[in-house]
Amino acid sequence: MKNFSLSKIAKMSLLSTLVLSGISWNKNPEIKDANGNPIITINGFTFSDLNQNGKLDKYEDTRLPINDRIQDLISKMTDDEKASMLIGIGMPGFDAKTFKFTTEGFQGKVPGAAGGTYELKRLGIPTVVVSDGPAGLRINPKRNNDEKTYYATAFPVGTALASTWNTELIKSVGKAIGNEVKEYGVDVLLGPGMNIHRNPLCGRNFEYYSEDPLLTGKISAAIVNGIQSNGVGTSAKHFAGNNQERNRMGVNAHISERALREIYLRGFEITVKEAQPWTIMSSYNLINGTYTSERKDLLSTVLRNEWGFKGLVMTDWFGGYDGFGGKNSPFAPNSVSDVTAQLSAGNDLLMPGMPAQKQAILDNMKSGKLSAAVVNKDLTRILELVLRSPSMNNYKYSDKPNLEANAQVTRQAAAEGTILLKNDNNTLPFTSKSAPLAVFGVTSYDFISGGTGSGDVNEAYTISLIDGLTNSGFSIDKELEDLYKPYAADQKAKEMERREKNGGLLASPKRLAELELNKEIINNKANSSELALITIGRNAGEGDDRKIDEDFNLAADEVTLINNVAEAFHAKGKKVVVVLNIGGVIETASWKDKVDAILLPWQPGQEGGNSVADVFSGNVNPSGKLTMTFPVNYEDAAASKNWIGTPAENPTSVTYEEGIYIGYRYFNTFNVKPSYEFGYGLSYTNFDISDLKLSGSNFANKMTATVTVKNTGKIAGKEVVELYLSAPSKNTDKPSSELKAFAKTKLLQPGESQTITLTINPKDLASFVTAKNAWIAEAGAYKVSIGTSSLNIKQTANFSLAKELIVEKTNSSFAADSQFSDLKH
């Protein structure tokens, strides 16, 4: 037996030697792979002869460990090829002068994609295509000399998806998005966007999930797992502290290490540990004096060493430059980012890639400033991505994703993410169809499916509110429709023309002014219609932040419309429903008492009108919950005190003096009354939350909390169970409570119950203590609160931690570059 084993090993060693030395035993130049490379066959195994040298190189041998293959590949690359691989291929079809995509010139493998990696033709290594974005794939819907169309599905924006609080549903949305990514020939989707809602005015909050890092991390992990189940990658962004758009490429965010670790990094940490996105995108801004793309503590120490991230880091597009207007613009002569600092920090890929960056890499490689070890490490991560990509593995994409099926996915997700903010006297659901509905508001006739910038999607259609209502069998008042439709079309055309002239892709969207209606028309509709609907619309996007006047606050024409419609309809004993087709938080306290019901579908994707009609009519019972706080006044938000940095017109410095007190952590701890609190959302039915039981009275390793949810109403529905934890704060200042777990029930029929089990882990007890470089759980009494919002607590229970627990040691990081103190309670 021993001799047999030795003989077998000898034969295997001989085989390995022959294979690895490049000797091929059967090659047929007539047989080609999908990319036209000859096929080599050895012992029944087939391999692509990528460099077409007639023998099997190590990097071509798919039986070998991936790192062995990559090191062989790197050894065959010239310095010029290495420098090319460390930067992207630019932005095919993008005109840097106008900031618009054109159909002229080189369009790339997938027109409209954001860029890709270098194609190393000599060695048979294809480009990996990357494309926006968080709410669906953004590519050109039409191509030169091609009658076919390439539309993608516009899914609900990030805020709407997170409002479902349903990770399984979000995973199914991810699967649908990933299907379109793969079938359109793209390898990596540039999303999800997962920055924290620090302030209601951030222009890209619609792309992001929440003011809470746990909810952000769980929703992000779900969508990443869904997308990547297709064998394509994601890029979780923007890492980190990119919480405003104004001067995002040049602003230095001063953030304490505790606030970073507990608030701004925690969601990324959860996503990395639960989903391992193929890539992470570093942000534009500086943190404590250094660009994030140059911070080794962020990109290597924390991300890789502490969290165990396995993928590559790429810059945001032109990351490391301080903007597009100054002498350090990526398009200015002799301007270049600090490529050595970026690559050495662990930012492996510089996107979209500029010629000056390649030259700087070559110069620094030659001088020794950029070490071979750094280059090798960065190339290894890039090539790991390339080798696992659909492009490398010759996936035959169809250019025909199942758009019809995916439209149903987005319709379902948008309906479940819709939040019922108000419903006096059971105004909704509304089922009567005996008279036309009086539908007011220009946005009712021009529904907003999603925001602008890289988070936009080129979809084939958007279902407006009136389309959705009509599809559900409701009739719309004809006179109002005839007044609004041409007005909306004219206003929209003028707005799109303005955007085209003022920044193209990055133009700031403006609100469409409301149509002036005299009181006589409104009074007539109160006589002839059963119910009034008013849609308030808001849009925002990349490159700019929102304003307080006529954006966060309602404009005068909107206030007048609500007042006049409410007065006329209430005089006739009829109801008024407001639909908020918005991407971010707006003021509601001053007008919410004037109307009978408020629906918040956010920007719900291309099926938005159908989704709203599903909820309005009761075909779907709303179960969405707020993922952020709606303040009474903008000034009530903690971060409003130091928004947007200094100087305000073009801030170069912003200090996060509120520390960890973002959103409900601030409102609830400091007893500031919101208009609508975090976690809030109504239903058409009622639920009873009872029988909270903890697995023990003393914490050891972990604890479970079980609770029973019963539908006590008359309509089937879903409820979200939210677990908040209050921790002892003798040694460390802490919020009054923090979300530590959540779950959504199945669809419960009237009278049906479900037991929910939630888990509390050691890190859930801990706060970050900077002086000790550790996450520490304080000894003492802890309170578990189970609620249906952060203020509507239904059950509580207590447990104890006998002695202080050091949950996790960390490395000292993010040293302050200015002196300030975090807000304390």
Side-chain angles (χ1 to χ4, degrees), residues 44 134 137 270 465 545 586 610 754 760 776:
L137 182 67
I270 292 167
L465 179 60
D545 293 299
I586 67 168
N610 284 333
Q754 182 180 353
I760 304 169
I776 297 176

Side-chain angles (χ1 to χ4, degrees), residues 44 82 104 195 307 353 372 403 447 467 496 501 595 654 743 789:
K82 290 176 181 178
E104 304 300 319
N195 294 101
W307 299 351
L403 297 179
F447 223 50
D467 293 335
M496 296 311 290
K501 293 177 180 177
V595 301
V654 60
S789 81

Side-chain angles (χ1 to χ4, degrees), residues 239 292-293 295-301 303-304 313 345-347:
F239 191 61
T292 61
S293 61
R295 291 205 72 107
K296 192 169 186 177
D297 52 3
L298 179 69
L299 305 183
S300 293
T301 306
L303 178 62
R304 292 185 163 107
V313 175
N347 199 119

Side-chain angles (χ1 to χ4, degrees), residues 734-745:
K734 293 170 189 170
S736 57
S737 66
E738 296 179 284
L739 183 73
K740 295 299 181 182
F742 64 89
K744 195 165 198 174
T745 67

Side-chain angles (χ1 to χ4, degrees), residues 652-801:
T652 55
S653 176
V654 60
T655 303
Y656 288 35
E657 291 180 5
E658 70 281 354
I660 61 169
Y661 288 106
I662 287 299
Y664 74 90
R665 286 171 167 78
Y666 172 74
F667 283 87
N668 296 0
T669 304
F670 288 81
N671 296 313
V672 179
K673 182 177 172 57
S675 181
Y676 294 109
E677 72 269 20
F678 175 86
Y680 171 88
L682 302 175
S683 172
Y684 295 153
T685 190
N686 299 304
F687 297 94
D688 180 59
I689 312 291
S690 64
D691 204 21
L692 171 61
K693 294 177 182 174
L694 302 182
S695 58
S697 57
N698 295 296
F699 188 88
N701 300 320
K702 73 173 184 176
M703 181 167 288
T704 58
T706 58
V707 67
T708 299
V709 183
K710 182 177 182 180
N711 184 348
T712 59
K714 298 178 180 179
I715 301 174
K718 300 178 181 180
E719 180 61 293
V720 177
V721 176
E722 305 165 25
L723 187 154
Y724 297 89
L725 189 65
S726 302
S729 55
K730 182 179 178 181
N731 301 330
T732 303
D733 181 63
K734 293 170 189 170
S736 57
S737 66
E738 296 179 284
L739 183 73
K740 295 299 181 182
F742 64 89
K744 195 165 198 174
T745 67
K746 65 181 182 179
L747 185 68
L748 295 176
Q749 299 301 319
E752 188 178 6
S753 298
Q754 182 180 353
T755 298
I756 298 291
T757 300
L758 300 168
T759 301
I760 304 169
N761 294 304
K763 197 162 184 175
D764 297 324
L765 277 59
S767 295
F768 184 75
V769 180
T770 308
K772 296 185 177 180
N773 291 323
W775 289 84
I776 297 176
E778 210 169 309
Y782 288 75
K783 182 172 77 171
V784 173
S785 299
I786 302 292
T788 54
S789 81
S790 59
L791 293 179
N792 191 12
I793 302 303
K794 302 293 189 180
Q795 297 266 288
T796 63
N798 298 293
F799 67 86
S800 297
L801 181 66

Side-chain angles (χ1 to χ4, degrees), residues 459-685:
E459 68 272 30
Y461 63 87
T462 295
I463 301 294
S464 70
L465 179 60
I466 57 166
D467 293 335
L469 292 169
T470 302
N471 293 342
S472 291
F474 293 97
S475 59
I476 309 299
D477 183 273
K478 189 72 168 61
E479 183 182 6
L480 283 177
E481 188 173 1
D482 288 344
L483 287 169
Y484 269 108
K485 269 193 168 180
Y487 174 79
D490 178 63
Q491 292 295 306
K492 181 65 174 291
K494 290 176 179 175
E495 166 62 4
M496 296 311 290
E497 183 180 357
R498 184 198 64 79
R499 289 187 204 173
E500 188 70 16
K501 293 177 180 177
N502 293 276
L505 178 69
L506 297 184
S508 301
K510 292 190 180 297
R511 181 184 70 89
L512 302 185
E514 285 298 341
L515 173 65
E516 287 188 32
L517 295 172
N518 61 51
K519 287 190 175 183
E520 183 182 358
I521 291 176
I522 296 172
N523 288 334
N524 288 340
K525 299 312 158 192
N527 286 322
S528 61
S529 299
E530 284 194 276
L531 177 139
L533 273 161
I534 305 171
T535 303
I536 299 296
R538 289 289 184 274
N539 210 350
E542 186 174 4
D544 198 8
D545 293 299
R546 298 172 57 208
K547 311 296 187 289
I548 298 174
D549 295 334
E550 299 194 1
D551 191 346
F552 179 82
N553 294 331
L554 294 193
D557 56 356
E558 295 170 320
V559 174
T560 299
L561 180 64
I562 289 174
N563 288 344
N564 291 345
V565 171
E567 181 183 354
F569 276 74
H570 288 163
K572 299 294 181 181
K574 296 177 180 179
K575 306 290 181 65
V576 178
V577 177
V578 170
V579 176
L580 298 178
N581 182 203
I582 59 181
V585 173
I586 67 168
E587 186 274 326
T588 55
S590 68
W591 58 267
K592 66 183 182 181
D593 292 339
K594 300 174 183 177
V595 301
D596 303 285
I598 304 173
L599 274 178
L600 172 58
W602 300 108
Q603 292 168 345
Q606 69 184 48
E607 287 284 329
N610 284 333
S611 303
V612 174
D614 287 341
V615 175
F616 175 80
S617 64
N619 285 338
V620 173
N621 189 346
S623 61
K625 301 278 186 176
L626 288 177
T627 66
M628 78 299 288
T629 307
F630 271 52
V632 171
N633 301 296
Y634 165 72
E635 291 76 17
D636 291 343
S640 66
K641 312 293 188 297
N642 44 50
W643 178 267
I644 187 168
T646 56
E649 64 276 5
N650 190 43
T652 55
S653 176
V654 60
T655 303
Y656 288 35
E657 291 180 5
E658 70 281 354
I660 61 169
Y661 288 106
I662 287 299
Y664 74 90
R665 286 171 167 78
Y666 172 74
F667 283 87
N668 296 0
T669 304
F670 288 81
N671 296 313
V672 179
K673 182 177 172 57
S675 181
Y676 294 109
E677 72 269 20
F678 175 86
Y680 171 88
L682 302 175
S683 172
Y684 295 153
T685 190

